[in-house]
Amino acid sequence: MFLREFSNEVRFLKGVGPRLSEVLGKLSISTISDLILHCPRDYVDRSRIDHLKDALKKEKVNCIVEVVAHDYIGKGYRKTLKIHIEDATGTAVLLCFGRAFLESVFVPGKRFLVSGTFKYRFGEVQSSNFEYEPYLPGNEDFKAIIPIYPLTAGITQGVLRRIMRGALDVIRDTIENELPERLITAYRFPHKSEALRTLHFPDSTASLLRARQSLVYEELFYLQLLIKRRAIKRRIQRKSRSPVPFALENRLLDRLPFSLTKDQRAVISEIKQDLFSPFAASRLLHGDVGCGKTLVAVILSLSVIESGEQVAFMAPTELLARQHADRIADLLQPIGIRIGFLSGSVRDEERKLLLDELQSGNIDLLVGTHALFSDDIAFRNLGFVIIDEQHRFGVLQRLSILKKGRNPDLLLMTATPIPRTLALTAFGDLEISTIRMQPEGRIPVITHLTREGNESRVYRRVREEISQGRQAYVVYPIIEESDSLALKDAETGFDRLSREIFPDFRCGLIHSRLQEDHKRKVMEDFSHHHLDILVATSVVEVGVDVPEATCMVIEHAERFGLSALHQLRGRVCRSVHQSYAFLIYGVNLTEDGIRRLKVMMETTDGFRIAEEDLAIRGPGELLGVKQSGFLRLTVSDLIRDKDILEAARKDAFSLLEDDPGFITPENMTIREVLNRAPPFSDEFLDGG
Ligand code: ADP
Ligand code: MG
């Protein structure tokens, strides 16, 4: 392929010197392939030039204008630059929020191409949402659909476009179709080389759409192939477990004061099939906070224990692991199950004793933290590994615990519901079980939105609740006062709340920088109701369960991500009482901040919230794996391209079912074809 035949480095492109290649480096572009895969973030249709007099008539106009003058609105660091522009037909104003540098760009008398959305405000035709570039007669980017790229300092749209054209010319004849011809014909996809050119320089909206679809399809098709092949590969890890009469499970179910939900019963029987199949299973169980996942995992453990094997149950924090251990002990000790607990704070003699018991098989179920991964931990017969809040564990950690048994089954759990598109990609090679419903009788939380400055109203409500014997959380975005962030912090908040606002109530403070012992003490005090108010950071986010806590106050709610807000709110619908969430927002709201708060007001459905979260943050952020480069989709967008994903998946799977040997690893992904790393880190999938 061309890329290996001659140098693929972008600095050898015509017109790209050392300076420019350094600038491109900042956009993570070092090869021609990187460059070609630097996709436009938007397009401007300049095939027609509009007149300023029509600026309000169309959603977006595209005008050639001359700069008349500048001035400012507001004062000090908050002042905003205003640029007055005109063409032969009218005048308008560009508002440059946070773009004061444009003063030196828009020099009066100069001409620019401006594309934007205009509104009529304060007696003027204004735009704060516009793209611009100097208008040079004879510019070839004129009268066409023009790509708008993500940029960095030191490079302009015009320059990037010129380089891009050059690169596309260089590679034009070397790009081959990768997809099977049959599919290309069936979908009537353009040739890949044409598709890439069209992606950057479309000659019509229709051809752009088709080009993009073909590239997205190709990317997702190879991703699904990869996923399916791994799933097939995993099917050969054998285990043996004899059927059991489920006596332990029945004993537990008899003792429960409630019956299982339909979803709980369904996933239990689904996962039991895994447990008694001849192959080691990897499954993800997801469902909203409080839907009863832990109970499901405990019930499943009983089958494994009954067949004479051991179970490991892991949680990401000491706090959570302890809480699980306590609850599991309450459930299982009465039916004779031997439970152990291990964390970093279990040391010396106690630890030694525990390890002995574990090795000799005197412990059936070991609950713990990362400590379970340690080298010196050995099980007699580990058959089932359960990992709660799986996203908080690394892949290698997961692998190391699996190695402690002979192909044990793996159950990953997460309280962040996973949108379907993510389930099919990020977790595509895992079996997935979903609990959608909540146990009956839960009273939905009531959510209030309050502007900063009106907290006293919230405090009054909290006071009423506490006076009736309830408890409250007050959560802050940061631990201590910070100069750089004008935010309220937990320590200052704690001082104020405990001294001025609620001097008559018992307040505690918890955050990640406290010692484990201290944290545990505070948490215990709160859950035993020796404290009325728990001031905290988002450490209380995961799984903590205190039934009398009915108020969740979140300061600077706009600073928290959707899933954190949802998890925090999930802390207070745990009992028979009505519960409340008070979201207090600060003055400087971003668009995303507003959107998040709106979603929180609209719904308590974790699945909906997760979809929104995916839309706002993208898959990398959502899974907390952006850094590792995992799920590095180049052209695809998991929200927009849902339907293509489904189609690509179906095609890829049926292809592999028919011909498991199809596709060699060399021609796997669009990115690899263009000489780069695969979109997935192998590690992740192997670990899952
Ligand atoms: P998750 O781990 O999904 O957040 P848990 O398993 O911790 O949920 O369950 C939350 C609470 O609901 C626990 O107190 C649990 O005993 C209770 N619970 C679980 N299943 C049911 C059910 N079917 N009916 C009533 N309560 C249930
Ligand atoms: Mg849980």
Side-chain angles (χ1 to χ4, degrees), residues 293-294 324 388-389 543:
K293 294 181 296 296
T294 312
H324 276 317
D388 195 18
E389 302 300 335

Side-chain angles (χ1 to χ4, degrees), residues 529-590:
H529 210 153
H530 300 150
L531 291 173
D532 303 303
I533 297 177
L534 185 60
V535 178
T537 57
S538 56
V539 287
V540 292
E541 174 192 331
V542 257
V544 201
D545 201 354
V546 181
E548 288 301 311
T550 57
C551 297
M552 170 59 71
V553 181
I554 307 177
E555 295 268 8
H556 287 295
E558 79 280 4
R559 304 285 301 201
F560 291 84
L562 263 181
S563 96
L565 288 173
H566 179 63
Q567 291 290 325
L568 286 170
R569 187 166 60 180
R571 295 305 102 227
V572 294
C573 355
R574 306 229 139 209
S575 69
V576 294
H577 310 297
Q578 175 64 57
S579 53
Y580 305 88
F582 301 96
L583 309 180
I584 300 173
Y585 60 94
V587 281
N588 291 317
L589 283 179
T590 61

Side-chain angles (χ1 to χ4, degrees), residues 256 258-261 264 287-296 323-324 327 331 388-389 413 415 435 438-440 442 543 545 571 574:
L256 284 182
F258 47 77
S259 49
L260 298 179
T261 63
Q264 281 174 317
D288 218 337
V289 238
C291 69
K293 294 181 296 296
T294 312
L295 186 60
V296 165
Q323 187 181 283
H324 276 317
R327 275 176 47 193
L331 285 169
D388 195 18
E389 302 300 335
M413 302 203 290
I435 302 183
Q438 292 281 333
E440 261 172 48
R442 294 262 164 87
D545 201 354
R571 295 305 102 227
R574 306 229 139 209

